[in-house]
Amino acid sequence: MTQAQAARLMDGTALARRIVEDTARQAAALTGRTGTAPCLATVLVGEDPASVTYVRMKQNRCRKAGITSRHVALPATTTTDGLVGTLRELSADPGVHGILLQHPVGDHIDERAAFEAIAPEKDVDGVTFASFATMSFGLPGFVSCTPGGIVQLLDEYGVDPAGKRAVVVGRSAILGKPVGMLLLARDATVTYCHSRTRDLSAAVREADIVVAAVGRPRLIRGQDIKPGAVVIDAGYNPGNVGDVDFDSAVERASLITPVPGGVGPMTIATLLEQTVTAAARQLGV
Ligand code: NAP
């Protein structure tokens, strides 16, 4: 018997770098033509260390790409009404082209009400009902960043979902559900799995494309990966561990995303890309 060949890695870091370089060129051209640099407003409630780090990382990437960022830091005691008010002000501010509300925002806040205070044309993180609807109908709008990044990775590696069985493990509004919708739009036959799925292994074994979006370290094992399947690990758990058991899955898959360096960098790249698109539309270019 021949030794199974290990999967090829889907290098999200390299693709994200190219997307950000391209985005920076577009931002520079836009600034040159209009005299206005694209601007992303970041809104953070409280001082959760992980959220502070994420927001800072996004601001740094913005700066490198020629996108201005405006940061609004709100105290942890901020109410739903207070947050909604801030987001409405930013939505109405012509100097702001994109809005990112770092989430989770805390249990005392109605997160959905806050998201819905973001104007759809500035929803570059793709979190509003309007963005979900336009994405689902294949109309122009903004996609949720991680799913958007995943689809770009599939394109980059020549994976055409048409006719393939795709199994998405996880059904959150910002990740699992939209990635399934994007795969459906590309003619995959999509199955969603979640915490109530009876036999997860059996479902995953059917998949030509597996997307793990769970938040459970190494939940998906190599023994359940169909030989030759494409494995996308969106999970990001403490210790840089994904939702897929990489060491066993890499022996069965044809393509696999590493953690870190797979899906993660694509999320920020998509955010920057969509911010420049939003600015171009608002500036009428
Ligand atoms: P979430 O809102 O907690 O959703 C997790 C989903 O997994 C839920 O649909 C849940 O099912 C399902 N689930 C939980 N345990 C399960 C199990 N044992 N078997 C099958 N399904 C199970 O999480 P999320 O925000 O979607 O994030 C998921 C992961 O992606 C996390 O590791 C997160 O850090 C990562 N993430 C990464 C990025 C990035 O940029 N790389 C961005 C966002 C998220 P129910 O619906 O039934 O509860």
Side-chain angles (χ1 to χ4, degrees), residues 10 150 153-154 209-213 230-235 244 255-257 263:
M10 300 172 90
I150 288 172
L153 258 180
L154 291 173
I209 300 171
V210 182
V211 180
V230 175
V231 177
I232 305 288
D233 188 353
V244 173
L255 285 164
I256 188 168
T257 56
V263 172

Side-chain angles (χ1 to χ4, degrees), residues 146-160:
T146 306
I150 288 172
V151 169
Q152 292 205 65
L153 258 180
L154 291 173
D155 285 345
E156 172 72 8
Y157 283 85
V159 180
D160 179 4

Side-chain angles (χ1 to χ4, degrees), residues 30-37:
L30 189 63
T31 307
R33 274 179 78 177
T34 64
T36 304

